[in-house]
Amino acid sequence: QVQLVESGGGLVQPGDSLRLSCAASGFTFSNYAMNWIRRTPGKGLEWVSAINYGDNSTAYTDSVKGRFIISRDNAKNTLYLQMNSLKPEDTAVYYCARGTSCYTCREWTHRGQGTQVTVSS
């Protein structure tokens, strides 16, 4: 069965960086687009970023463009999210999610249990 396990969250100060990882198993990782999504207090579930399979094209929501970088290592079945210049509004539970054939469609079929990121001074 599909398993997605996130790690790397924590408590950081504004301006700091964090790198999230997502270990995937139970499916052929290299054949799927992958997403990062987040749940913030009061805003619900928000799509953050996606990376395509094959050409590794990427997409980001406007609020993280220029600060976050999504990447993948197909040999390790691992998805990453490098988060720089973190802001308090980035505070959320971050999930990785298996995408569909349309990586820009902001849709997914499975997600992990999440990792908490808190940005506070």
Side-chain angles (χ1 to χ4, degrees):
Q1 69 277 22
V2 174
Q3 286 196 326
L4 300 164
V5 180
E6 302 90 342
S7 61
L11 172 63
V12 297
Q13 295 188 337
D16 284 353
S17 298
L18 270 180
R19 189 196 198 199
L20 305 184
S21 299
C22 171
S25 61
F27 64 103
T28 304
F29 180 73
S30 58
N31 287 354
Y32 287 86
M34 295 296 296
N35 299 269
W36 286 100
I37 57 178
R38 65 188 179 187
R39 185 182 297 279
T40 57
K43 285 185 68 176
L45 209 55
E46 176 188 25
W47 174 83
V48 175
S49 181
I51 185 166
N52 202 8
Y53 63 95
D55 66 359
N56 287 347
S57 297
T58 59
Y60 300 91
T61 192
D62 285 348
S63 63
V64 309
K65 281 180 182 176
R67 299 188 298 121
F68 290 11
I69 301 171
I70 188 171
S71 62
R72 66 193 299 163
D73 185 334
N74 290 336
K76 295 182 178 180
N77 290 344
T78 302
L79 178 72
Y80 302 100
L81 186 67
Q82 177 67 42
M83 305 187 296
N84 302 318
S85 302
L86 282 160
K87 304 176 180 180
E89 51 264 42
D90 295 318
T91 295
V93 178
Y94 283 75
Y95 304 89
C96 75
R98 193 181 82 170
T100 66
S101 59
C102 174
Y103 84 101
T104 57
C105 294
R106 307 188 179 192
E107 55 191 22
W108 54 90
T109 58
H110 300 78
R111 62 179 168 94
Q113 84 291 345
T115 185
Q116 176 72 47
V117 172
T118 303
V119 185
S120 176
S121 55

